[in-house]
Amino acid sequence: MADGDRLAHSSLDGKLVLPGVATDYANMIRAALALFSLGGEPAFLTWAEAWFAAAKRHHYVEASAAYNLLANDAPALIAQPLSMADEATPAATGVMAETPRRFSC
């Protein structure tokens, strides 16, 4: 569920609900790299690289060295919800911190 390198958070009646949140990117990158390591299918690595770049461009907050749960082009909220603590899924900041190591394997 994507529009180019932008992941959707969900789909409703066949329409993508954009943009995805940082945890969507973190966990899809993790999954793509795991699948690439199992079979070497180049498309998985290509997707992981594109999603990593999109996550950095739209979710990374340099001053906090963390990932904002919401994209920088999503509707604004009063507070910036950084993805620092695990919830139902692992926090994006932690998952993304291990991503460069996975790219090098």
Side-chain angles (χ1 to χ4, degrees):
M1 294 188 327
D3 182 10
D5 65 353
R6 300 297 300 274
L7 290 174
H9 183 63
S10 61
S11 175
L12 179 63
D13 293 330
K15 294 183 181 181
L16 297 179
V17 178
L18 295 161
V21 296
T23 51
D24 297 331
Y25 283 91
N27 291 303
M28 287 296 287
I29 292 165
R30 176 190 271 177
L33 291 174
L35 290 169
F36 175 73
S37 71
L38 291 174
E41 182 71 34
F44 292 124
L45 182 59
T46 300
W47 290 336
E49 291 171 338
W51 292 333
F52 185 82
K56 186 171 183 184
R57 189 170 58 252
H58 294 286
H59 294 273
Y60 189 68
V61 179
E62 190 78 36
S64 301
Y67 284 84
N68 186 353
L69 190 60
L70 301 179
N72 57 9
D73 58 352
L77 295 177
I78 294 170
Q80 187 176 59
L82 297 177
S83 183
M84 302 287 287
D86 293 346
E87 296 177 25
T89 59
T93 299
V95 175
M96 294 296 279
E98 73 177 12
T99 299
R101 180 188 59 80
R102 289 180 180 261
F103 273 122
S104 66
C105 293

